[in-house]
């Protein structure tokens, strides 16, 4: 059994690529302990579709709850695009 807190960004990248299928409109990588923030932009660029992770979505929601909707670059489309 693998401890999610011992995983690496490289493994998260591999899992994200493995989860992608041509029919998918986006890729979801779930698990807040999986280190994903550093791979989101690269995966989106390489796969040509949005990538949403638990950490990124949690940060997006926290920012919205405190009234911040400014774009944040470096962590994927969800945080980069206003909304």
């Amino acid at each position: 059994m693998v401890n999610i807190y011992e995983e690496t960004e490289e493994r998260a990248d591999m899992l994200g690529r493995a989860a992608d299928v041509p029919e998918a409109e986006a890729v979801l990588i779930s698990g807040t302990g999986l280190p994903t923030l550093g791979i989101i932009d690269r995966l989106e660029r390489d796969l040509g579709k949005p990538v949403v992770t638990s950490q990124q979505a949690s940060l997006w929601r926290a920012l919205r709850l405190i009234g911040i909707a400014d774009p944040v670059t470096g962590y994927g489309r969800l945080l980069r695009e206003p909304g």
Side-chain angles (χ1 to χ4, degrees), residues 11 17 36 44:
R11 173 105 161 110
R17 290 173 193 280
T36 57
E44 285 189 340

Side-chain angles (χ1 to χ4, degrees), residues 25-49:
E25 295 181 20
V27 172
L28 170 66
I29 304 174
S30 185
T32 56
L34 192 62
T36 57
L37 285 178
I39 66 163
I40 300 168
D41 271 345
R42 181 177 62 239
L43 269 179
E44 285 189 340
R45 184 178 58 250
D46 292 353
L47 301 178
K49 59 187 71 172

Side-chain angles (χ1 to χ4, degrees), residues 71-83:
V72 177
T73 59
Y75 304 105
R77 178 190 274 180
L78 180 65
L79 290 169
R80 184 175 57 247
E81 295 183 356

